[in-house]
Amino acid sequence: MKLAVILVNYNGKKYNTACIESILASGGVEEIKIIVVDNASQDDSMRLLEERYAGNERLSFIRLDDNYGFSYANNVGIRSAVEWEADAVLLLNNDTEIASDMLLRLWECAKRHSGSMVVPKIYYSDDRKRLWSAGGSVSRVIRKVRHIGLDETDVGQYDQEREIAFATGCCLWIPMEVIRRAGTLDERFFLYYEDTEYSFRLQKLGIPIWYCPKAVMYHKVGASTKGADSPLCAYYIARNWLLCSRLHLGRRYPLFLAYYALNRTVCCALWLVRGKKELARETLRGIGDYRKGRFGRAAYDR
């Protein structure tokens, strides 16, 4: 088994080392290569990594000349993994740490469910009994995704291995045979909803997604985007939720639009009441860019 672990870095100096060290401390996989793809970081994170891991053949570094987004950078890493002849890739957020046996547990699950994408159980990094994701579910009509177990204390209620409908891009074990069938991430999304779109695409192709509770990791939630209450988040969610739903909802899309209009109106009203008018402004900007067909990196974010 040759596994390529792909980390996308953007000003991740605070997080990279802990993540990489947890990967290097892992066992159970015969060959691992960590591919760090840098989205033109403005801190000195890449210099520090290159100095720290100089001569370590298990790491390679790819520097991009601009910030092209999460999907693009992961796709660059996937192409590098193909050249290395990896059997599978693990797309992993760099603001995470993994348990020493997580890779082994994911590999075992992937072997039990050949041709599937596999995800672990994810806890908050600062509260390692509190769940962030025990897989994901999708609502029946408008196909809204949610993390199963979000904010619950883990008392074993999600310890059963099962097939799920949605996988968070925080950690995705993807066999190369799945990539050959389904392709790579959609680069129009730049940030947010690329994992939702990929989950929906796999479902259309009949490719299962499995949740493996014995595989465990910890996530510093919101580290890369400063959390859900950021203008950046409001813009990309407003735009990309529309795009993802248009691509996959078919005849249910008009019903989704009615729900979306109500949902975003309520959110904007609450933000205005709380004095967070910038969130409402960026939501409207995201909707406007969707209508104009402007995807990828937001013009205002350059």
Side-chain angles (χ1 to χ4, degrees), residues 182-198:
T184 54
L185 301 180
D186 189 326
E187 295 171 8
R188 288 175 292 181
F189 288 88
F190 188 81
L191 181 68
Y192 293 120
Y193 275 89
E194 70 291 315
D195 50 3
T196 305
E197 191 283 325
Y198 201 68

Side-chain angles (χ1 to χ4, degrees), residues 70-110:
F70 182 78
S71 296
Y72 181 97
N74 269 303
N75 290 345
V76 169
I78 290 171
R79 288 194 290 272
S80 179
V82 170
E83 292 176 2
W84 184 60
E85 298 182 340
D87 299 301
V89 298
L90 185 77
L91 307 188
L92 182 67
N93 278 18
N94 63 338
D95 56 353
T96 63
E97 296 176 49
I98 69 173
S100 60
D101 64 346
M102 189 193 84
L103 300 181
L104 172 62
R105 298 299 188 182
L106 290 176
W107 183 24
E108 290 172 341
C109 185

Side-chain angles (χ1 to χ4, degrees), residues 35-302:
I35 303 170
V36 182
V37 184
D38 182 63
N39 260 326
S41 294
Q42 301 303 304
D43 64 0
D44 59 352
S45 53
M46 288 303 288
R47 178 186 62 79
L48 293 172
L49 288 180
E50 289 167 346
E51 289 177 358
R52 182 183 181 98
Y53 297 105
N56 190 326
E57 296 182 353
R58 289 188 290 177
L59 280 93
S60 66
F61 303 101
I62 302 172
R63 288 178 177 255
L64 303 179
D65 61 2
D66 200 356
N67 183 4
Y68 294 107
F70 182 78
S71 296
Y72 181 97
N74 269 303
N75 290 345
V76 169
I78 290 171
R79 288 194 290 272
S80 179
V82 170
E83 292 176 2
W84 184 60
E85 298 182 340
D87 299 301
V89 298
L90 185 77
L91 307 188
L92 182 67
N93 278 18
N94 63 338
D95 56 353
T96 63
E97 296 176 49
I98 69 173
S100 60
D101 64 346
M102 189 193 84
L103 300 181
L104 172 62
R105 298 299 188 182
L106 290 176
W107 183 24
E108 290 172 341
C109 185
K111 288 190 290 185
R112 285 193 294 274
H113 309 288
S114 180
S116 300
M117 187 164 73
V118 182
V119 301
K121 179 188 285 187
I122 308 175
Y123 296 93
Y124 285 91
S125 182
D126 59 356
D127 186 352
R128 298 194 169 195
K129 290 294 184 181
R130 187 161 62 106
L131 290 164
W132 185 68
S133 177
S137 65
V138 179
S139 66
R140 296 184 63 181
V141 180
I142 63 167
R143 306 201 73 189
K144 186 175 181 180
V145 302
R146 73 173 185 91
H147 289 191
I148 297 170
L150 178 66
D151 289 333
E152 295 181 23
T153 298
D154 186 10
V155 291
Q157 67 272 45
Y158 301 112
D159 282 353
Q160 182 176 357
E161 189 170 290
R162 66 188 183 282
E163 191 172 342
I164 57 173
F166 161 69
T168 172
C170 179
C171 182
L172 302 173
W173 176 291
I174 316 177
M176 280 300 179
E177 61 186 291
V178 171
I179 292 173
R180 284 191 288 269
R181 287 186 62 193
T184 54
L185 301 180
D186 189 326
E187 295 171 8
R188 288 175 292 181
F189 288 88
F190 188 81
L191 181 68
Y192 293 120
Y193 275 89
E194 70 291 315
D195 50 3
T196 305
E197 191 283 325
Y198 201 68
S199 296
F200 290 173
R201 200 190 319 168
L202 295 192
Q203 186 179 53
K204 282 184 176 179
L205 293 169
I207 298 172
I209 306 170
W210 280 86
Y211 160 70
C212 177
K214 291 183 179 180
V216 168
M217 60 177 284
Y218 308 94
H219 186 205
K220 302 174 180 72
V221 177
S224 59
T225 58
K226 299 182 175 57
D229 265 4
S230 73
L232 185 74
C233 176
Y235 170 86
Y236 285 115
I237 285 179
R239 188 194 70 183
N240 293 348
W241 192 4
L242 286 164
L243 175 59
C244 182
S245 298
R246 189 192 76 199
L247 292 173
H248 292 285
L249 260 64
R251 287 184 235 174
R252 288 172 289 179
Y253 185 62
L255 185 60
F256 160 79
L257 286 178
Y259 171 82
Y260 177 91
L262 177 61
N263 178 281
R264 293 296 91 182
T265 297
V266 170
C267 285
C268 287
L270 290 173
W271 287 328
L272 291 172
V273 168
R274 295 169 184 168
K276 298 180 178 181
K277 61 181 181 181
E278 70 279 2
L279 299 180
R281 183 186 65 240
E282 295 309 326
T283 292
L284 295 176
R285 195 197 301 265
I287 294 169
D289 280 358
Y290 166 78
R291 294 180 64 185
K292 295 170 186 174
R294 294 177 179 169
F295 301 112
R297 188 177 182 182
Y300 83 97
D301 188 36
R302 295 185 183 278

